[in-house]
């Protein structure tokens, strides 16, 4: 049983397209995290959100706590957005995370 | 800025060898984690530690052990490497405190190949 489900698993887009990645979770959470992993391995945190919407540049993250669903949107996508995007939620103790399997995004010029 | 470093970016070892992967963080974080990442499976927790000399098994501890003798350093040990342990290994750390962010900071990863 996966506590966190992401879709799609792979996504290819043309430069400039609007992109949406979805995350559904089954556990009660205090906050949800969106992470980005570029080729080469390093993972960085993009957003932590517990309600509503957050925006950072061309990236927008939304969450609906009642529906246990979050989305990550990328507006005016660019080849440098090509990466794996991972959704993560903390366990009840907060000491561990449940991770989605990631969405591999490729943006073609 | 929090910095998490790992001892190697790429490592090639032979079957049966003992392998040490080291992780160091510089922000006095209590929690440290070792994950492996495989295509289609995402990040899976091997072990985590919430204090010096304390450890707990994650989802896939078989074939691995860990050591945390100092707060800033968390080592992953493969006692006898096998080809199915070829993977990307990621270390992370997090702070246990009043701000409930639980944000984890990741190292750059070690890509281990066992031949």
């Amino acid at each position: 049983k996966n506590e966190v489900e992401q879709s799609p698993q792979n996504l290819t887009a043309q430069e400039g397209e609007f992109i949406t990645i979805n995350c559904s979770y089954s556990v009660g959470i205090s906050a949800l995290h969106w992470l980005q992993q570029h080729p080469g391995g390093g993972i960085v945190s993009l957003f932590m959100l517990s309600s509503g919407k957050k925006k950072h540049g061309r990236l927008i993250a939304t969450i609906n706590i009642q529906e246990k669903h979050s989305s990550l949107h990328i507006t005016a996508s660019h080849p440098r957005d090509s990466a794996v995007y991972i959704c993560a939620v903390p366990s009840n103790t907060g000491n561990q995370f449940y991770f989605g399997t990631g969405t591999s995004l490729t943006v073609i010029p | 800025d929090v910095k998490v470093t790992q001892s190697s970016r790429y490592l090639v070892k032979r079957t049966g060898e003992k392998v040490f992967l080291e992780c160091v963080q510089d922000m006095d974080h209590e929690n440290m984690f070792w994950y492996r990442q495989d295509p289609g499976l995402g990040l899976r927790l091997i072990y985590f530690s919430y204090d010096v000399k304390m450890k707990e098994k994650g989802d896939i501890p078989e074939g691995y052990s860990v050591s945390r003798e100092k707060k800033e350093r968390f080592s992953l040990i493969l006692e006898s490497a096998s080809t199915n342990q070829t993977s990307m290994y990621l270390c992370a750390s997090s702070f246990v405190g009043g701000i409930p962010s639980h944000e984890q900071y990741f190292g750059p990863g070690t890509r281990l190949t066992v031949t």
Side-chain angles (χ1 to χ4, degrees), chain A residues 9 30-31 33 35 37 39-46 48 84 86 90-102, chain B residues 9-10 31 33 35 37 40-43 45 48 50 56-59 88 90 94 96 100-104 106-109:
Chain A
Q9 190 170 355
S30 56
H33 298 250
L35 312 172
Q37 183 178 31
I43 294 175
V44 296
S45 177
L46 294 175
M48 184 199 69
V84 175
I86 302 168
S91 66
N92 288 338
T93 62
N95 282 336
Q96 297 186 57
F97 273 78
Y98 301 113
F99 294 91
T101 54
Chain B
R9 290 300 304 275
Y10 299 94
N31 291 342
F33 307 82
Y35 298 95
Q37 185 181 33
L41 296 177
L43 285 156
L45 181 65
F48 77 96
Y50 51 90
E56 285 200 22
K57 293 180 180 179
D59 300 320
M88 170 70 88
L90 288 147
S94 70
V96 178
S101 72
H102 306 300
E103 182 173 2
Q104 293 196 3
F106 286 85

Side-chain angles (χ1 to χ4, degrees), chain B residues 51-54 66-75:
Chain B
D51 202 351
V52 174
K53 296 191 187 293
M54 306 303 286
V66 290
S67 172
R68 191 158 181 210
E69 298 296 319
K70 293 185 178 181
K71 192 174 185 180
E72 68 270 18
R73 190 180 298 268
F74 191 34
S75 301

Side-chain angles (χ1 to χ4, degrees), chain A residues 32-96:
Chain A
L32 179 143
H33 298 250
W34 281 102
L35 312 172
Q36 181 191 56
Q37 183 178 31
H38 277 289
I43 294 175
V44 296
S45 177
L46 294 175
F47 293 102
M48 184 199 69
L49 67 165
S50 54
S51 65
K53 176 165 68 173
K54 283 192 176 180
K55 185 174 187 290
H56 181 69
R58 294 178 296 103
L59 273 61
I60 303 166
T62 63
I63 189 167
N64 185 317
I65 295 291
Q66 286 73 29
E67 295 185 5
K68 294 188 174 178
H69 181 269
S70 176
S71 293
L72 177 67
H73 306 285
I74 304 175
T75 62
S77 59
H78 190 275
R80 63 174 174 265
D81 297 326
S82 298
V84 175
Y85 293 85
I86 302 168
C87 169
V89 299
S91 66
N92 288 338
T93 62
N95 282 336
Q96 297 186 57

